[in-house]
Amino acid sequence: MTAVTLPTSVAPPTALTLQAGLFGNEVTKGLRLAWRRRGMVVVGMLLGALNYLGISLFIGGGHLVKEMMVLTLPGLLAVVVAQTASIQGSGGIAEEVNGGTLEQTQLGPAPPQLQVLGRIAALAVEGVAAAALLAVVFAAGFGLDFTWHAAALVPAVLTLLDALGYGLLIIALTVRVAGIGAITHVFNMVIMIFGGMLVPVTVFPAGIETFSHFVPTALGVQALNATLADGSLATPWSDGTLPWLLIHTAASLTAGLAIYVRNIRRARREGGLSPR
């Protein structure tokens, strides 16, 4: 018997192409889930906006101080991204663990670091969309005067990555810590208080200001405000805010990714990917 082979022009996918496709699948899945819970996203935005307005009125003695809102609005936007990445990311992992589907995803060819990066990328889109909408509403609705400079993109992007690194760390802990929900809410409150959403970080006493520099997004908000005020990166770089922001962002992303991979591999060995 003679076997007949037909030539084909379709080349097998390369490793890079396969990895890109797996990453795209994770992002697509995350965005579809975000669209399905869009009602909750809107409710969360409204609650965040009302909370911010209430705090602004309290600090202003019953009045909205626009100069203060210009300095604290970036803090609100950073909190929105950080809370989206942490709460939605942790909740998604917890649901998959309780439903038994997280264990099934580990049977595929995608490595754990690629899966979680796709998940965090989808959460980044969700958080940035919510933050951008709030920024437009507050800036236009209350006549806040922002002078945008291209240099502000640097601290803005670093603040976004810092918030995602924090969310990545919470996701990593969710795999290992069963009661992560309460811990996440405490951490989010710390970011709200010390991250520049209530008052600018620079008005804190020296000791509290130093502590705030270890809080996710606080350095980014401080650097962003300085850049918007001066129109350049000279001030946040010379006072050390921008260099420390680079270190903080790199450390949070690296730690979050490393801890997630470690916890996933440990859960595989010990059977921790199923309902506990």
Side-chain angles (χ1 to χ4, degrees):
M1 174 182 269
T2 303
V4 178
T5 59
L6 297 177
T8 177
S9 59
V10 180
T14 63
L16 181 60
T17 303
L18 179 60
Q19 297 294 316
L22 294 173
F23 177 80
N25 290 338
E26 290 294 325
V27 176
T28 302
K29 181 184 73 174
L31 292 178
R32 287 179 176 175
L33 291 174
W35 179 251
R36 291 183 62 180
R37 62 171 182 263
R38 58 187 180 278
M40 295 302 300
V41 173
V42 173
V43 171
M45 289 172 52
L46 292 176
L47 291 177
L50 292 176
N51 189 28
Y52 174 72
L53 286 175
I55 294 172
S56 298
L57 287 170
F58 176 78
I59 294 177
H63 302 280
L64 292 175
V65 183
K66 293 184 179 180
E67 293 78 8
M68 180 67 73
M69 293 179 69
V70 168
L71 296 174
T72 56
L73 184 59
L76 169 64
L77 305 182
V79 166
V80 169
V81 177
Q83 288 187 343
T84 299
S86 60
I87 295 177
Q88 302 297 350
S90 176
I93 286 288
E95 288 179 359
E96 292 188 19
V97 170
N98 294 329
T101 56
L102 183 60
E103 190 172 20
Q104 296 176 5
T105 62
Q106 302 306 308
L107 301 176
Q113 59 267 30
L114 189 66
Q115 290 179 330
V116 76
L117 287 177
R119 185 186 300 267
I120 206 70
L123 292 172
V125 175
E126 180 180 347
V128 169
L133 182 58
L134 285 177
V136 171
V137 170
F138 275 102
F142 295 95
L144 303 182
D145 186 16
F146 283 98
T147 303
W148 181 256
H149 303 282
L153 282 174
V154 175
V157 172
L158 289 174
T159 305
L160 169 63
L161 294 176
D162 197 20
L164 296 179
Y166 160 70
L168 187 57
L169 182 60
I170 295 297
I171 292 174
L173 294 177
T174 305
V175 179
R176 185 66 183 168
V177 182
I180 192 62
I183 299 175
T184 302
H185 287 295
V186 171
F187 284 169
N188 287 340
M189 289 296 297
V190 170
I191 296 177
M192 289 177 59
I193 296 172
F194 299 102
M197 173 181 159
L198 306 184
V199 293
V201 174
T202 52
V203 307
F204 288 140
I208 298 179
E209 183 178 358
T210 301
F211 168 77
S212 70
H213 290 165
F214 294 93
V215 175
T217 73
L219 283 168
V221 172
Q222 185 176 350
L224 181 58
N225 282 333
T227 304
L228 290 175
D230 294 348
S232 70
L233 298 173
T235 298
W237 183 265
S238 60
D239 64 12
T241 305
L242 192 56
W244 278 114
L245 174 60
L246 286 166
I247 296 174
H248 195 286
T249 301
S252 62
L253 288 170
T254 303
L257 188 60
I259 294 174
Y260 179 82
V261 173
R262 177 181 179 273
N263 286 347
I264 283 289
R265 289 175 177 172
R266 182 174 181 176
R268 285 177 178 176
R269 295 193 305 268
E270 300 177 357
L273 297 177
S274 54
R276 332 183 239 254

